[in-house]
Amino acid sequence: MEISRAFFIIMILLFVLRGTNTLSDDLLFLDYYKETCPLAEEIVRRNVENAVLKDPRMAASLLRLHFHDCFVMGCDGSVLLDSYGEMVSEKLAVPNFNSLRGFQVIDKIKYNLEEACPYTVSCADILALAARDSVVLRGGPTWGVPLGRRDSLKASFDGANLYIPSPNSSLEILIENFKVQGLDIRDLVTLSGSHTMGRARCLSFRQRIYDITMEERYDKYERYRTFRRILETICPESGNDNQLTPLDYTTPTRFDNHYYINLLQGRGLLFSDNTFVTQDHEGEIIKQVWAYAADQDLFFAKYVNSIIKMGNINVLTGHEGEIRKNCRFINT
């Protein structure tokens, strides 16, 4: 009797904890669709390859979709939902509006999967697989993606505005954003390496140009000023908000460790990226930046660990949520 009661209490506690934003490593596993949809990963990979071949920037966009999904309620495909009834789409939130892209690619992948295996592969798993394939296609590491996520029945417009880090965030705020998701400082620095590919709008990096830090004000060797002058020609103090520029000027379409080299050379594009160098008063983060800049294999190995960890945030499994037929709408 006492054992049964204790078991019941433990199950209640687990249920309560399930509602918090925690990592759930033991709920997902490799080859989840081996029996139910054996071609699932191949279908995703083929579609991502075609999309990136047509538009190389799409690799970064699909990777970013996975990130923005996981940071709002967990990795549950909520970012893909369109507004419906009283539910406001996360796509309309400030960090996503006129910024996130790749939804049509996900739509096509889902259509092909529904043709092959109806109501089997979740939209959340599609995002995780597409992110991995995008990194690999641009020269980055590969990894086995733990699968078995289910899709959310709702979106969180307010959550998207609150939890997705801003490109103008201070280091302190970035650390707190990641901590809320169960990710530590090392994960923050490692996952920020995703900015080694893709492009950003002028609106996202204007503050980096015109809010001059103390390090830049007394920049004896003009490491910061030279790059800032280049950016000023692209992004004036007002207007030209949607003008795009590479996050990594050196190898803009490659997934490599040049992001960290750029930071050390004063060529980080976003204000938030540069905080790893300008606001790290303890000196521990800069050590990690130096380590990744010096050793790409080390960065790749740590990146795999961190992105798998991120992909396990607050996942829905079992009978939770659903497997959407259309990633833009809940099933009716």
Side-chain angles (χ1 to χ4, degrees), residues 199-216:
R199 295 190 287 177
R201 294 184 298 162
C202 167
L203 186 66
S204 298
F205 60 88
R206 179 175 283 120
Q207 181 172 329
R208 178 258 185 273
I209 306 172
Y210 298 103
D211 287 2
I212 302 174
T213 65
M214 291 298 290
E215 288 82 359
E216 293 174 305

Side-chain angles (χ1 to χ4, degrees), residues 65-314:
L65 271 180
H66 182 42
F67 180 92
H68 281 227
D69 181 43
C70 290
F71 265 60
V72 183
M73 303 193 301
C75 308
D76 58 5
S78 63
V79 73
L80 301 173
L81 287 169
D82 286 346
S83 296
Y84 183 78
E86 295 182 357
M87 184 183 71
V88 181
S89 173
E90 292 170 20
K91 299 174 185 178
L92 301 179
V94 173
N96 299 334
F97 187 64
N98 283 338
S99 179
L100 280 189
R101 57 198 298 271
F103 297 110
Q104 292 82 3
V105 176
I106 301 301
D107 289 340
K108 186 173 182 181
I109 294 171
K110 183 58 174 171
Y111 176 83
N112 290 336
L113 284 169
E114 286 299 309
E115 289 284 300
C117 322
Y119 290 102
T120 302
V121 182
S122 70
C123 301
D125 276 348
I126 292 173
L127 287 177
L129 288 168
R132 187 271 311 275
D133 294 340
S134 295
V135 169
V136 173
L137 282 168
R138 306 321 296 169
T142 189
W143 62 92
V145 179
L147 300 168
R149 300 167 188 80
R150 287 171 65 85
D151 298 322
S152 173
L153 298 172
K154 60 182 180 180
S156 179
F157 171 81
D158 291 336
N161 280 319
L162 182 62
Y163 294 118
I164 296 174
S166 161
N168 297 315
S169 294
S170 67
L171 181 58
E172 182 180 7
I173 291 175
L174 288 173
I175 291 172
E176 185 58 34
N177 281 149
F178 274 67
K179 183 179 179 181
V180 167
Q181 308 298 339
L183 301 172
D184 59 28
I185 295 175
R186 297 193 70 84
D187 295 317
L188 162 62
V189 179
T190 303
L191 291 171
S192 294
S194 300
H195 290 168
T196 188
M197 61 179 185
R199 295 190 287 177
R201 294 184 298 162
C202 167
L203 186 66
S204 298
F205 60 88
R206 179 175 283 120
Q207 181 172 329
R208 178 258 185 273
I209 306 172
Y210 298 103
D211 287 2
I212 302 174
T213 65
M214 291 298 290
E215 288 82 359
E216 293 174 305
R217 195 177 303 279
Y218 300 102
D219 183 17
K220 179 179 178 181
Y221 299 104
E222 296 198 359
R223 290 188 306 156
Y224 299 98
R225 274 179 279 181
T226 301
F227 187 54
R228 194 171 66 248
R229 289 189 189 110
I230 295 172
L231 295 180
E232 286 173 350
T233 65
I234 301 169
C235 183
E237 288 195 68
S238 63
N240 223 24
D241 286 355
N242 292 319
Q243 180 64 41
L244 295 168
T245 198
L247 286 159
D248 172 4
Y249 267 81
T250 312
T251 54
T253 61
R254 295 284 298 173
F255 192 99
D256 53 29
N257 67 334
H258 272 92
Y259 165 81
Y260 300 100
I261 297 172
N262 292 338
L263 293 185
L264 295 173
Q265 295 176 342
R267 290 176 174 264
L269 181 65
L270 304 181
F271 180 90
S272 56
D273 289 333
N274 289 294
T275 63
F276 296 156
V277 175
T278 62
Q279 296 182 17
D280 176 32
H281 305 303
E282 301 299 323
E284 291 303 313
I285 291 176
I286 193 69
K287 290 179 183 177
Q288 189 178 352
V289 172
W290 272 105
Y292 289 167
D295 188 343
Q296 180 168 279
D297 290 339
L298 173 64
F299 164 52
F300 280 5
K302 297 298 184 182
Y303 186 86
V304 166
N305 292 337
S306 289
I307 198 165
I308 291 175
K309 183 178 177 182
M310 184 192 79
N312 287 328
I313 295 174
N314 209 24

